Every structure is written in structure tokens, then in C-alpha cells.
Amino acid sequence: MQIFPNPVTDYLNIEVQDFKSKTISYEIINYQGKVVKTGSLEAPGIDVSALNQGVFFLKIIKEDSVIYEEFIKK
């Protein structure tokens, strides 16, 4: 999985293998461990414009795995 751009201002693009063949959900977690946004990936990206500036973790949940990526919101 790849996320870009990082740091991000408005829209976080996500490249996931087998994107169309599986149900993929996500959680965005702030540095204190609080889930601040959830949803399912129906497009290859997430609108993060409403998030405050800071460091976040993106948790991608596929049918058979969980992946974490860190990103910075400007």
C-alpha cells in the first residue's frame, strides 16, 4: 500500500493492491489514539480537509489483513 502526498492538505490518495476485488474500510487515528474518521474506500482516496493539522495513522482493513501508515496533515 502507498499513500501520497505526505504531508497532505486536502485529499490523501491511496494505492491498494486488489482494490476492486475486496471490501476495504479505513480508520484515521490521531496521535492520542482517538479514531477521528472512518469509512469504506469506494474511491482510491480520502478527503482529509476537515482534519486539524498534525500526525495521524491510517488503518486500512482488508478482508485478510490490517495495514497502518502514518501521515502528516498540513
Side-chain angles (χ1 to χ4, degrees):
M1 180 180 82
Q2 289 186 318
I3 61 173
F4 59 93
N6 192 8
V8 62
T9 55
D10 295 322
Y11 195 77
L12 185 64
N13 295 293
I14 302 167
E15 288 184 3
V16 180
Q17 291 179 335
D18 301 328
F19 176 75
K20 295 182 187 224
S21 65
K22 297 183 179 182
T23 301
I24 300 173
S25 58
Y26 70 87
E27 294 179 352
I28 295 178
I29 304 161
N30 68 16
Y31 215 72
Q32 290 79 31
K34 181 180 177 187
V35 176
V36 294
K37 185 169 183 166
T38 63
S40 58
L41 284 180
E42 298 180 10
I46 302 169
D47 181 1
V48 296
S49 61
L51 296 178
N52 293 328
Q53 293 182 353
V55 177
F56 295 88
F57 296 96
L58 174 65
K59 178 180 179 182
I60 297 290
I61 304 136
K62 293 170 57 173
E63 291 176 348
D64 56 351
S65 63
V66 176
I67 303 166
Y68 288 90
E69 290 285 338
E70 183 178 81
F71 71 93
I72 297 169
K73 168 65 168 70
K74 280 186 152 184

